[in-house]
Amino acid sequence: MSADRINLLRTKVFDKSKWMQLPRDVVVGHDAIEQIPAVCEDLALGDSVLIVSGKQTRDVAGKRVEALLAGSYDVTTFTIDGGEPVETIRKAEAASAEAGFVIGVGGGRVIDTAKIAAYNVDRHFISVPTAASHDGIASSRASVPTADGNVSLAAEPPIAVVADTAVIASAPHRLLASGCADIIANCTATLDWELAHRLTGEPVSEYALTLARMTAEILFQNADLIKPHSEESAWIVTKALVSSGVAMSIAGSSRPGSGGEHKFSHALDRLAPGKGLHGEQCGIGAIITMYLHGGDWEAIRDSLRKIGAPTTPAEIGVDDETAVEALLAARKIRPERFTILDMGLTPESARNLVKMLYRE
Ligand SMILES: NC(=O)C1=CN([C@@H]2O[C@H](COP(=O)(O)OP(=O)(O)OC[C@H]3O[C@@H](n4cnc5c(N)ncnc54)[C@H](OP(=O)(O)O)[C@@H]3O)[C@@H](O)[C@H]2O)C=CC1
Ligand SMILES: O=C(CO)COP(=O)(O)O
Ligand SMILES: [Zn+2]
């Protein structure tokens, strides 16, 4: 091979190079929270820490983390108590700038706020989920609601994830079921990604696709084992969420875990705020998008039922007409992300789908 050809190949390989940032320490298990001082010591992140938590999650676990670190670190806290998300991120960012590293202890909103704040001021971030409610717990992406819909932002990839299965199992079952639905949605998100690849030439990552799909598959197979307030269930789901988050980090985007069903969920966040949880809405959306892909939508519906996640808009207090509106509005959210919902859905077809697939 000529030197020119070798140089060309090298350039191509270099152009395609990708930076994947994955967690360094992942501790999952009973009383894992007690390991936080050891994790912080292992990572040698500095001597001051900001602990971001929510109103409930501070009581559930945030205060325990504060107490565990108080003797060895200069600890400050930031509690999220509602308010406009972007404004909250700005405040958390200002607080993070004063600390050596940031720990987020809570559900999805808390973890995302902490990981964006840490990213914006270049601090390391440790993720301490108190619920297995979504797959952002180990990923380098954050999802932020704005007036124009949810935006997916680059965020600080957690340098460590500490998931205490006792804490997670004691959370309301609805949160765990929501996390399961978020993972099950990988089935349709990956189909959408492949569709976009075939239709628009969007690059795909085979590893990210396979990992995201396999994670959903494992959950399908274990759907019978997902029970309320069981630590075994918390284990299964947390490991799946970590694996799904790693798929997103490999992809460098949320594509392996977010397709048309997520756009439907983001549309519902705007049209019916405060009704369903993120993962619940994604699971409901996945039933329709799997049907449109010609796949086994009944298997999705049945697994969601077994797990205790909702399968119809009515179950989360959303009427059919709003669900139709959300299906139609979905394509306006992040329009560059092509999905099956961009393939000619009309008001009439949306209405028919909702009527046919969302029967009790
Ligand atoms: N980065 C990503 O890739 C992803 C991000 N997301 C984002 O995550 C958010 C949704 O996360 P989700 O967790 O569903 O919702 P929230 O973070 O809003 O949490 C829901 C509620 O559960 C409470 N809670 C959490 N843990 C416990 C517990 N152990 N015991 C009792 N209550 C608890 C929270 O309390 P408190 O009031 O203390 O917060 C909150 O009131 C959205 O903003 C979404 O956009 C979703 C998916 C992926
Ligand atoms: O929820 C996610 C993956 O489960 C992230 O999705 P978005 O990029 O659509 O916010
Ligand atoms: Zn999701």
Side-chain angles (χ1 to χ4, degrees), residues 158-220:
I159 191 160
V161 180
V162 180
D164 190 318
T165 46
V167 171
I168 290 168
S170 70
H173 180 64
R174 189 181 171 192
L175 292 168
L176 189 86
S178 176
C180 294
D182 202 19
I183 297 162
I184 285 173
N186 289 1
C187 294
T188 47
T190 47
L191 286 173
D192 278 335
W193 198 10
E194 286 173 322
L195 176 71
H197 174 66
R198 288 193 291 266
L199 216 65
T200 70
E202 182 180 327
V204 289
S205 153
E206 288 297 333
Y207 285 99
L209 267 173
T210 308
L211 183 58
R213 196 166 269 154
M214 183 198 74
T215 306
E217 206 44 55
I218 292 174
L219 205 74
F220 267 126

Side-chain angles (χ1 to χ4, degrees), residues 8 31 47 55-56 82 107 136 154-155 162-163 181 185 194 207 212 223 246 270 276 300 337 342-343 349:
L8 188 69
D31 282 348
D47 50 19
K55 251 162 74 178
Q56 299 179 71
V162 180
E194 286 173 322
Y207 285 99
V246 168
R270 275 199 281 164
I300 293 193
R337 183 165 289 192
D342 296 297
M343 298 279 286
S349 57

Side-chain angles (χ1 to χ4, degrees), residues 112 134-136 139 141-144 150-153 182-183 185-186 244 248 253-259 261-263 266 278 282 334 337:
D112 272 10
H134 72 92
D135 57 12
S139 79
R141 308 294 304 178
S143 183
V144 180
N150 270 61
V151 288
S152 176
L153 299 178
D182 202 19
I183 297 162
N186 289 1
S244 201
M248 290 193 266
S253 89
S254 58
R255 248 311 190 176
S258 168
E261 73 302 313
H262 270 66
K263 290 181 173 215
H266 298 326
H278 167 84
C282 296
R334 221 179 288 159
R337 183 165 289 192

Side-chain angles (χ1 to χ4, degrees), residues 16-337:
K16 288 184 84 176
S17 76
K18 210 153 99 177
W19 198 348
M20 298 175 206
Q21 290 186 299
L22 305 170
R24 202 157 98 193
D25 290 358
V26 178
V27 188
V28 183
H30 186 77
D31 282 348
I33 216 162
E34 306 299 318
Q35 312 277 337
I36 284 181
V39 170
C40 294
E41 199 185 321
D42 177 48
L43 297 169
L45 301 175
D47 50 19
S48 64
V49 57
L50 175 75
I51 299 173
V52 180
S53 213
K55 251 162 74 178
Q56 299 179 71
T57 43
R58 182 156 184 238
D59 286 335
V60 169
K63 285 179 180 165
R64 180 68 193 141
V65 177
E66 287 163 39
L68 284 165
L69 296 179
S72 318
Y73 296 86
D74 180 5
V75 176
T76 48
T77 61
F78 181 87
T79 305
I80 300 173
D81 57 358
E84 203 278 314
V86 176
E87 181 60 22
T88 305
I89 290 168
R90 291 283 162 256
K91 288 183 187 161
E93 197 179 298
S96 302
E98 304 296 316
F101 62 104
V102 179
I103 303 182
V105 186
R109 202 166 37 112
V110 165
I111 301 280
D112 272 10
T113 305
K115 73 159 82 141
I116 299 173
Y119 180 79
N120 290 349
V121 297
D122 200 17
R123 298 290 187 275
H124 280 300
F125 164 65
I126 298 180
S127 170
V128 183
T130 55
S133 52
H134 72 92
D135 57 12
I137 63 177
S139 79
S140 55
R141 308 294 304 178
S143 183
V144 180
T146 70
D148 302 322
N150 270 61
V151 288
S152 176
L153 299 178
E156 188 62 28
I159 191 160
V161 180
V162 180
D164 190 318
T165 46
V167 171
I168 290 168
S170 70
H173 180 64
R174 189 181 171 192
L175 292 168
L176 189 86
S178 176
C180 294
D182 202 19
I183 297 162
I184 285 173
N186 289 1
C187 294
T188 47
T190 47
L191 286 173
D192 278 335
W193 198 10
E194 286 173 322
L195 176 71
H197 174 66
R198 288 193 291 266
L199 216 65
T200 70
E202 182 180 327
V204 289
S205 153
E206 288 297 333
Y207 285 99
L209 267 173
T210 308
L211 183 58
R213 196 166 269 154
M214 183 198 74
T215 306
E217 206 44 55
I218 292 174
L219 205 74
F220 267 126
Q221 280 161 21
N222 287 295
D224 287 328
L225 299 177
I226 308 300
K227 302 282 177 231
H229 308 300
S230 131
E231 251 189 277
E232 187 193 5
S233 304
W235 255 99
I236 294 169
V237 183
T238 304
K239 283 192 290 182
L241 293 171
V242 170
S243 163
S244 201
V246 168
M248 290 193 266
S249 294
I250 291 173
S253 89
S254 58
R255 248 311 190 176
S258 168
E261 73 302 313
H262 270 66
K263 290 181 173 215
F264 169 76
S265 168
H266 298 326
L268 278 181
D269 284 339
R270 275 199 281 164
L271 295 166
K275 298 278 189 191
L277 291 171
H278 167 84
E280 291 177 335
Q281 297 174 166
C282 296
I284 294 170
I287 293 173
I288 281 192
T289 56
M290 185 54 100
Y291 174 81
L292 290 174
H293 275 290
D296 192 352
W297 63 275
E298 282 161 311
I300 293 193
R301 183 198 58 194
D302 296 347
S303 299
L304 292 173
R305 274 189 187 149
K306 268 187 213 161
I307 287 161
T311 56
T312 65
E315 283 174 79
I316 54 167
V318 170
D319 60 54
D320 282 2
E321 204 39 49
T322 307
V324 169
E325 230 185 296
L327 279 175
L328 295 168
R331 62 177 158 234
K332 293 185 207 125
I333 291 170
R334 221 179 288 159
E336 73 286 0
R337 183 165 289 192

